[in-house]
Amino acid sequence: MIPQRVSLITIGAYDLPMLRAFYQKLGWEETAHSSDNYAAFTTAGVILTLFPIEELAKDAEITFTQDRNSYRAVSFAINLDEPSQVDSVIEQIREIGGTILREPSDAFWGGRTAYFADPENNLWEVVWNPSAVFDERGAMISY
């Protein structure tokens, strides 16, 4: 049986120093494993890493053809404890240069949601889900 967990997510970075600076501006702390060519940030549920996109393609033994200016076909989410936090987090992201794609609004399913893109067009949802359950570390364990 394959363990049912996600432990690490890597974003292939076109410009690692610029992308790293954006996540540092979010206030996220890097781990001791970060280096000039790799950034690792701790989160409540997984480790988020940034790795040069050419190196990621080489490591996976693939040819990468993604257009740098298009959105990627994946999104990440920051789930929050209160609906008002969606608005305040989006304002903080706006202040540090994130591109707001969807302003905070109430969702048809009862939550509150917004979207932003980091400087390399990785999509992030900022969301409050009234059904979300978090563990003591802040990792979402149910929704």
Side-chain angles (χ1 to χ4, degrees):
M1 176 191 252
I2 297 171
Q4 188 172 331
R5 64 176 166 238
V6 176
S7 8
L8 188 139
I9 295 173
T10 299
I11 296 174
Y14 290 99
D15 182 342
L16 181 64
M18 181 266 309
L19 199 57
R20 168 187 258 149
F22 177 81
Y23 286 95
Q24 289 170 338
K25 287 179 188 174
L26 291 179
W28 292 8
E29 293 183 31
E30 289 187 63
T31 73
H33 295 288
S34 290
S35 68
D36 290 343
N37 298 316
Y38 181 77
F41 296 88
T42 55
T43 72
V46 300
I47 302 294
L48 176 70
T49 64
L50 308 175
F51 193 49
I53 200 160
E54 300 86 9
E55 295 300 316
L56 181 59
K58 191 184 310 179
D59 195 45
E61 298 182 351
I62 63 168
T63 300
F64 189 76
T65 58
Q66 174 78 33
D67 174 9
R68 178 182 182 146
N69 296 313
S70 66
Y71 294 107
R72 302 189 189 185
V74 64
S75 70
F76 308 100
I78 301 169
N79 282 264
L80 303 168
D81 297 316
E82 300 293 331
S84 62
Q85 290 176 304
V86 173
D87 299 69
S88 61
V89 166
I90 287 295
E91 282 311 308
Q92 292 172 57
I93 290 166
R94 189 185 323 273
E95 289 172 14
I96 65 166
T99 302
I100 308 307
L101 301 171
R102 177 179 172 180
E103 294 291 337
S105 61
D106 293 333
F108 71 91
W109 44 266
R112 187 154 181 83
T113 186
Y115 277 85
F116 74 93
D118 71 15
E120 292 194 357
N121 290 325
N122 296 294
L123 299 177
W124 284 85
E125 181 181 22
V126 177
V127 60
W128 170 74
N129 181 335
S131 303
V133 177
F134 300 93
D135 70 12
E136 65 281 348
R137 297 175 307 133
M140 190 165 67
I141 56 174
S142 177
Y143 71 98

